[in-house]
């Protein structure tokens, strides 16, 4: 007769307890379901401003003869970078401000069977995915609105994906820093003191090399992460335009992403357990 063994309570708990990877995937699916449910509002919040710039500076003003038709080659990569930045920051920072503020939904996430570091990584990954969705929507619309763009290269799709992913992760991590540092009462500062200067001094609407005429500003904008995403997009989408060397862009984004992740994780732990 074969002996039957019954699992001990500890063994049963180990079998039933979801792994960290399963919890990570479940939280990501939950965020994507929420994104699908609120997709029209998400797109309206994140891509409206870039598309308005495309219509005015990429379609209306060239037809008026106020800017060169070649300006589209500098504008399209910048608009794509801007879309990644705005959607990633807002996808992480705004929900975190709410979760740590009046809703306290962060307490539900903290109950998930997953280490805090992995929980933070899931927030960053989820924000980056949402940014990539927004950029994938903006790119074809902007191309249709602006018409033919001189020098637009479709051959570097792999590099476009690399720069887009690095940019999305960097700004998603930046959103983590902002979302854990700003209280609900100060949410207006996010847009007036952070987002607006970042947009205008991030080389989204002009190439960094064009700032040779303003040397001080040329080096000041290097502290802005949007500068590297804009220049990286120019390097892979319109390589005929003046741009930073791609290795410099990739190296800067990797360093900035790592720094934001460390600062954001520290702020998350402080707000969650402090």
């Amino acid at each position: 007769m074969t002996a039957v063994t019954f699992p001990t309570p500890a063994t049963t708990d180990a079998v039933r307890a979801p792994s960290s990877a399963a919890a990570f995937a479940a939280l990501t699916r939950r965020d994507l379901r929420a994104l699908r449910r609120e997709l029209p509002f998400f797109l309206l919040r994140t891509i409206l401003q870039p598309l308005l710039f495309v219509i005015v500076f990429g379609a209306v003003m060239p037809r008026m003869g106020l800017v060169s038709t070649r300006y589209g080659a500098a504008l399209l990569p910048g608009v794509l970078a801007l879309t990644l930045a705005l959607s990633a920051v807002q996808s992480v920072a705004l929900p975190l401000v709410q979760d740590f503020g009046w809703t306290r939904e962060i307490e539900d996430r903290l109950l998930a069977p997953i280490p805090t570091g992995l929980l933070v990584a899931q927030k960053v990954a989820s924000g980056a995915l949402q940014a990539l969705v927004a950029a994938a929507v903006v790119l074809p619309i902007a191309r249709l609105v602006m018409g033919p763009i001189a020098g637009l290269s479709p051959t570097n799709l792999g590099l476009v994906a690399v720069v887009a992913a690095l940019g999305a992760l960097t700004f998603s991590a930046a959103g983590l820093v902002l979302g854990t540092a700003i209280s609900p009462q100060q949410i207006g500062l996010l847009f007036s003191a952070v987002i607006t200067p970042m947009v205008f001094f991030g080389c989204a609407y002009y190439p960094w090399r064009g700032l040779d005429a303003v040397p001080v500003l040329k080096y000041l904008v290097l502290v802005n992460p949007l500068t590297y995403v804009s220049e990286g997009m120019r390097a892979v989408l319109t390589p005929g335009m003046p741009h930073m060397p791609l290795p410099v862009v990739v190296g800067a984004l990797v360093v900035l992403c790592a720094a934001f992740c460390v600062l954001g994780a520290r702020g998350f732990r402080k707000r969650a357990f402090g």
Side-chain angles (χ1 to χ4, degrees):
M1 178 179 289
T2 303
V4 177
T5 58
F6 295 95
T8 63
T11 305
T12 305
D13 290 344
V15 171
R16 290 177 178 174
S19 65
S20 294
F24 186 100
L27 288 171
T28 303
R29 285 196 299 271
R30 172 186 169 183
D31 288 344
L32 292 179
R33 279 198 299 270
L35 172 65
R36 185 175 58 185
R37 190 171 55 247
E38 300 180 359
L39 188 60
F41 303 103
F42 167 76
L43 294 177
L44 187 64
R45 186 177 69 241
T46 57
I47 73 173
L48 180 61
Q49 183 177 345
L51 287 181
L52 289 177
F53 277 107
V54 166
I55 293 172
V56 173
F57 293 100
V60 176
M61 293 182 71
R63 287 177 173 78
M64 295 170 67
L66 296 177
V67 297
S68 168
T69 53
R70 295 188 66 250
Y71 180 56
L75 180 63
L76 180 65
V79 166
L80 202 58
L82 184 61
T83 304
L84 285 168
L86 291 178
S87 51
V89 167
Q90 293 184 39
S91 296
V92 177
L94 296 182
L96 273 180
V97 169
Q98 294 178 3
D99 291 352
F100 280 120
W102 53 84
T103 65
R104 298 303 300 172
E105 288 188 13
I106 197 64
E107 295 172 358
D108 293 340
R109 285 184 178 266
L110 291 174
L111 293 176
I114 184 173
T116 305
L118 208 53
L119 187 61
V120 170
Q122 190 276 328
K123 293 291 291 183
V124 173
S126 177
L129 281 176
Q130 295 182 46
L132 292 174
V133 169
V137 173
V138 163
L139 180 59
I141 296 176
R143 170 62 181 79
L144 288 174
V145 171
M146 296 170 70
I149 298 173
L152 180 62
S153 174
T155 60
N156 297 324
L157 293 181
L159 291 175
V160 172
V162 170
V163 174
L166 280 175
L169 287 170
T170 300
F171 277 97
S172 188
L176 180 70
V177 176
L178 293 169
T180 54
I182 295 176
S183 66
Q185 294 80 10
Q186 299 170 334
I187 192 65
L189 289 175
L190 176 65
F191 296 94
S192 60
V194 178
I195 299 295
T196 301
M198 180 192 76
V199 168
F200 284 99
F201 297 108
C203 295
Y205 307 121
Y206 45 83
W208 181 69
R209 295 288 185 186
L211 291 176
D212 288 342
V214 194
V216 174
L217 187 59
K218 180 179 179 181
Y219 294 103
L220 284 177
V221 299
L222 292 178
V223 302
N224 188 344
L226 182 58
T227 298
Y228 301 101
V229 186
S230 302
E231 289 294 297
M233 283 298 173
R234 285 192 186 97
V236 295
L237 279 177
T238 55
M241 291 295 296
H243 57 77
M244 283 184 185
L246 191 56
V248 173
V249 169
V250 172
L253 288 177
V254 169
V255 171
L256 287 170
C257 184
F260 287 143
C261 284
V262 171
L263 292 174
R266 187 180 303 171
F268 187 92
R269 289 191 176 90
K270 183 177 179 182
R271 291 291 300 274
F273 305 112

